[in-house]
């Protein structure tokens, strides 16, 4: 490589280095024998380097992507790389080779200490992801964001989704406070003894919904305060998992398939007598009531009003109801938008909508 052959002399002041290789068939590591004592930031695209060098022991950020298959590191090799970069504050690797040959060696059994790490992103199969996290020693009060892209995972590994959830939680002295359920899962974990929180993003690329469900259902959710659900097929049974949580105050859901409204009036054997005892704020999207035929429209509105009335009577009234993208076609019908909002406000004082200007009815 021309760049590295030109660096035949020590470069004591070099702090940033980016290397991009355009040859897709390249299968050789870059041999770098120069001394780079001040190197802090390294980006490698399409190429790798020899990692047994002291030049990288002061790295603060590392980004590796688009490596040809022949030079991708295995998860064991990557951990050995990280062991030589104890000052890392962030790393991203999107090229890991599937292999279990170099796991559980004596050198691998000792965790890799990255006590300054604040951001990490990794793309690999599920078993490698669990193995990597399990072998990293990080500070729960230092880490800000973890992004895990799970891809090409054999179906036989679905049980590891539970292990992934437990491994993530084991890195923090805290609990999940916010959970976002979509094609990509997001959770915010807050430390119990301080105000620090970390965002964890888990993306099961190309995997079925059972992977996501197995993951989030294995989390400790007893301190969950905010929930967002953007899945089309969220069952009543899944809603029931959240119904008994004592601190769940905010729910955002879109699209709504009636399962949540049924869950909100589900009776329980404890006091208070209804599920979701702490719920105060509810935001719903695509409750497209105006596009329905009159009978179905009336049924949908009645169901909503009945739910709010029952919770109001039980002393569990909402403080705020937000309807987003719910009144797409304001046409004449049995019940106008103003009338619908009026009925809802009998039981929820603050009812908001993003598509309807109430001044038009004054």
């Amino acid at each position: 490589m021309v760049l590295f052959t030109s660096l035949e002399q020590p470069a004591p002041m070099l702090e940033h280095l980016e290397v991009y290789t355009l040859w897709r068939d390249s299968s050789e590591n870059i041999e770098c024998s120069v001394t780079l004592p001040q190197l802090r930031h390294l980006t490698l695209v399409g190429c790798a380097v020899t990692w047994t060098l002291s030049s990288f022991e002061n790295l603060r950020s590392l980004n590796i992507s688009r490596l040809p298959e022949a030079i991708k590191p295995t998860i064991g090799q990557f951990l050995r790389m990280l062991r030589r970069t104890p000052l890392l504050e962030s790393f991203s690797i999107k090229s890991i080779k599937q292999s279990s040959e170099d796991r559980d060696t004596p050198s691998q059994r000792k965790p890799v200490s990255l006590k300054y790490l604040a951001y990490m992103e990794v793309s690999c199969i599920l078993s490698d992801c669990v193995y990597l996290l399990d072998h990293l020693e990080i500070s729960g009060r230092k880490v800000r964001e973890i992004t895990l892209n799970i891809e090409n995972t054999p179906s036989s590994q679905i049980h590891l989704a539970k292990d992934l959830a437990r491994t993530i939680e084991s890195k923090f002295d805290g609990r999940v406070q916010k959970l976002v359920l979509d094609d990509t899962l997001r959770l915010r974990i807050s430390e119990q003894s301080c105000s620090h929180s970390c965002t964890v993003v888990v993306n099961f690329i190309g995997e079925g919904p059972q992977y996501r469900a197995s993951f989030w259902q294995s989390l400790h959710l007893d301190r969950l305060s905010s929930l967002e659900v953007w899945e089309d097929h969220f069952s009543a049974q899944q809603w029931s998992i959240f119904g008994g949580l004592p601190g769940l105050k905010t729910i955002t859901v879109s699209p709504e398939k009636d399962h949540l409204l049924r869950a909100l009036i589900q009776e329980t054997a404890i006091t208070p007598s209804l599920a979701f005892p702490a719920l105060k704020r509810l935001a719903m999207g695509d409750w497209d009531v105006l596009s329905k035929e009159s009978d179905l429209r009336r049924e949908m509105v009645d169901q909503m009003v009945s739910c709010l009335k029952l919770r109001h009577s039980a002393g569990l009234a909402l403080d705020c109801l937000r309807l987003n993208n719910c009144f797409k076609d304001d046409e004449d019908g049995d019940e106008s938008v103003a009338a619908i909002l009026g009925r809802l406000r009998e039981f929820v004082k603050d009812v908001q909508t993003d598509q309807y200007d109430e001044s038009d009815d004054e």
Side-chain angles (χ1 to χ4, degrees), residues 36-303:
L36 306 171
Q38 297 300 318
L39 189 63
R40 299 292 189 267
H41 310 282
L42 176 63
T43 296
L44 301 172
V45 179
C47 58
V49 297
T50 302
W51 281 92
T52 57
L53 303 173
S54 61
S55 296
F56 303 129
E57 292 180 354
N58 290 315
L59 279 182
R60 301 311 196 266
S61 69
L62 171 65
N63 295 282
I64 305 174
S65 62
R66 291 167 51 188
L67 295 187
E69 188 66 27
I71 60 174
K72 288 181 179 180
T74 64
I75 199 67
Q77 290 171 332
F78 184 60
L79 280 167
R80 287 194 287 275
M81 298 174 190
L82 294 179
R83 199 178 295 279
R84 292 182 171 274
T85 58
L87 302 180
L88 266 185
E89 297 172 3
S90 70
F91 75 79
S92 172
I93 180 166
K94 300 178 181 178
S95 303
I96 291 182
K97 182 187 299 183
Q98 297 183 28
S99 175
S100 59
E101 295 179 359
D102 60 347
R103 295 187 186 183
D104 298 322
T105 61
S107 62
Q108 293 294 87
R109 291 169 189 162
K110 183 179 179 181
V112 177
S113 178
L114 296 177
K115 60 182 180 179
Y116 300 104
L117 191 69
Y119 301 92
M120 65 170 281
E121 179 178 6
V122 61
S123 301
C124 58
I125 63 172
L126 183 54
S127 58
D128 281 348
C129 187
V130 174
Y131 188 84
L132 173 63
L133 287 175
D134 195 44
H135 285 74
L136 288 182
E137 188 176 89
I138 59 178
S139 170
R141 295 188 178 185
K142 193 75 173 180
V143 177
R144 295 291 181 182
E145 184 168 329
I146 295 175
T147 300
L148 307 173
N149 300 309
I150 314 298
E151 53 189 8
N152 303 319
T153 297
S155 58
S156 60
Q157 292 188 8
I158 187 173
H159 66 284
L160 293 178
K162 297 180 180 180
D163 294 340
L164 179 61
R166 298 182 185 124
T167 301
I168 290 173
E169 289 186 321
S170 71
K171 302 298 179 181
F172 301 90
D173 179 26
R175 286 288 191 267
V176 179
Q177 288 198 335
K178 181 176 181 179
L179 179 63
V180 180
L181 302 180
D182 200 351
D183 292 339
T184 297
L185 305 177
R186 300 181 67 90
L187 49 144
R188 187 181 70 229
I189 302 177
S190 297
E191 293 282 320
Q192 297 182 21
S193 55
C194 65
S195 59
H196 175 76
S197 65
C198 173
T199 297
V200 180
V201 180
V202 183
N203 186 13
F204 289 98
I205 301 173
E207 315 297 354
Q210 64 271 23
Y211 282 83
R212 296 192 298 273
S214 179
F215 173 79
W216 67 258
Q217 290 178 20
S218 302
L219 296 168
H220 291 93
L221 300 174
D222 51 298
R223 297 191 180 181
L224 189 70
S225 62
S226 177
L227 172 66
E228 296 183 18
V229 178
W230 303 93
E231 297 186 5
D232 289 330
H233 306 288
F234 206 71
S235 68
Q237 181 179 7
Q238 289 175 311
W239 278 117
S240 68
I241 294 174
F242 300 99
L245 299 182
L248 182 54
K249 298 179 180 180
T250 302
I251 294 178
T252 300
V253 56
S254 179
E256 164 55 23
K257 299 298 184 182
D258 302 330
H259 293 309
L260 174 58
L261 294 181
R262 297 192 193 99
L264 288 175
I265 58 175
Q266 185 69 41
E267 295 185 358
T268 64
I270 59 177
T271 301
S273 59
L274 295 181
F276 300 92
L279 185 63
K280 292 299 180 182
R281 294 175 293 276
L282 173 62
M284 294 177 55
D286 296 317
W287 186 59
D288 193 11
V289 64
L290 296 181
S291 67
K292 310 301 182 184
E293 296 294 333
S294 59
D295 289 345
L296 180 56
R297 178 188 305 185
R298 188 181 304 108
E299 180 181 341
M300 292 174 63
V301 174
D302 288 347
Q303 181 187 30

